[in-house]
Amino acid sequence: GLEKMVSIFPCFKKTLTRTDVERNLEIPNRTPFLPDGNGLMLVRDRFGVTYQFIASERRGGRRSLTNDWHAFAVSKSLQVGDPLRICRLENGNEYVVQVGIELFGPHLVWETL
């Protein structure tokens, strides 16, 4: 399935905040493997549905993922405090979003949403 598509590209990791869940996902100004200013991200979920996120530049230099992010967060029932990571696939601007699940002790198992 989709697990095979996830390359060893670096992933952006974040613990979700209230703003992330209710509005847009806030990201650092310099995030090496997310697109630069207002870049489009095609995010494929484990069912093959594609969402479009935009890495928007906001006033004051802050950035956030907008567009389909909120619909994605709602459809995946994301909660404040969830460990999340966004991994870029081999083909450019395609990504998967994974949530960390604690199965055995402190080690997270990452599951594609």
Side-chain angles (χ1 to χ4, degrees), residues 28-87:
N29 289 350
R30 300 258 175 269
T31 311
F33 25 85
L34 296 185
D36 291 330
N38 298 317
L40 177 67
M41 299 169 61
L42 298 175
V43 176
R44 191 166 309 167
D45 75 5
R46 64 179 174 182
F47 305 110
V49 176
T50 299
Y51 294 81
Q52 296 189 355
F53 296 178
I54 293 177
S56 303
E57 301 259 1
R58 306 212 332 256
R59 275 199 291 273
R62 291 187 319 183
R63 305 184 67 210
S64 59
L65 298 185
T66 61
N67 211 30
D68 289 344
W69 162 258
H70 187 251
F72 179 87
V74 169
S75 73
K76 304 302 182 186
S77 305
L78 294 176
Q79 307 287 319
V80 174
D82 281 351
L84 202 78
R85 74 181 187 183
I86 300 175
C87 302

